[in-house]
Amino acid sequence: MTVARPAYHVTELTVGQLSARSGVAVTALHFYESKGLIKSRRTPGNQRRYTRDTLRRISVIRVAQRMGIPLSTVRDALAELPEGRTPNRDDWARLSQRWRADLDARIEQLLALRDGLEDCIGCGCLSVRDCPLTNPYDELGEEGPGPRRLLREPTGAAARGRRHRAPTADPCGGTTPSCQAEDGPRD
């Protein structure tokens, strides 16, 4: 069943109209409502009616979900928006600024994960060729369990895995100070 787009002057939308206009399934709208992300009123016939500004709130929810922001965080942010009016550009700027630091931290973690996938992750297995150099004797195990390099908070370019090492045939490649001291640098 196709629901016609509501006319511009309609101030309240049925759940079907809201679903059709927002592109969100009716079940998802019910879920959002159960989590306190959106609100409706009930008609005398017990049907849900949503104010038109709910469309903007749903858009904010969907964008936040795509960014990986937890729904509880989204709910708290939406609770600060004024009721009865469509959130405007200033409202969105305040919301997005609150999420910026979290997103930047996650981007750093993803970059470190992407760029360090081929290196030692500090899990303690010592089977990767670089492990004896970057995690000798499983020293990272003193920091705690798990892949210590991936669980660390990123700091700087090295933490993002942006070390540019040329592939080498020998275990240290002549790049570490101890190798250079023994044999001198290799090309």
Side-chain angles (χ1 to χ4, degrees):
M1 176 175 116
T2 303
V3 178
R5 191 169 76 194
Y8 72 91
H9 64 280
V10 173
T11 58
E12 287 191 323
L13 307 173
T14 66
V15 70
Q17 289 170 323
L18 186 62
S19 173
R21 183 62 185 92
S22 67
V24 174
V26 170
T27 54
L29 295 174
H30 292 167
F31 175 76
Y32 291 163
E33 192 170 353
S34 74
K35 296 299 180 187
L37 295 161
I38 61 175
K39 296 177 184 172
S40 69
R41 74 168 185 85
R42 296 291 183 143
T43 67
N46 203 29
Q47 296 175 333
R48 288 180 169 94
R49 292 294 185 266
Y50 298 90
T51 56
R52 206 166 174 110
D53 62 285
T54 305
L55 282 168
R56 181 71 53 86
R57 292 171 188 272
I58 291 169
S59 294
V60 169
I61 294 165
R62 291 185 72 192
V63 167
Q65 283 182 303
R66 287 196 62 174
M67 292 188 289
I69 297 171
L71 287 179
S72 60
T73 303
V74 176
R75 181 191 60 236
D76 294 344
L78 290 175
E80 295 178 15
L81 293 177
E83 288 292 324
R85 78 161 168 82
T86 302
N88 60 29
R89 184 177 298 233
D90 291 336
D91 296 327
W92 174 245
R94 279 193 308 278
L95 290 180
S96 60
Q97 189 60 38
R98 291 176 66 185
W99 298 331
R100 187 179 223 35
D102 181 48
L103 291 174
D104 288 342
R106 280 196 269 154
I107 288 168
E108 289 289 317
Q109 289 172 336
L110 288 170
L111 287 171
L113 177 61
R114 181 199 67 194
D115 294 344
L117 283 175
E118 296 170 0
D119 291 338
C120 171
I121 60 174
C123 65
C125 75
L126 303 178
S127 65
V128 176
R129 190 179 79 200
D130 287 344
C131 280
L133 300 174
T134 59
N135 187 25
Y137 310 109
D138 190 24
E139 291 170 357
L140 293 173
E142 293 176 19
E143 292 180 17
R148 300 314 311 163
R149 291 188 192 282
L150 295 181
L151 296 175
R152 284 182 181 160
E153 293 295 321
T155 56
R160 289 192 302 271
R162 296 196 177 176
R163 301 177 304 264
H164 296 290
R165 291 190 303 228
T168 59
D170 64 291
C172 72
T175 57
T176 61
S178 61
C179 287
Q180 289 178 0
E182 292 174 16
D183 301 321
R186 298 183 182 126
D187 291 327

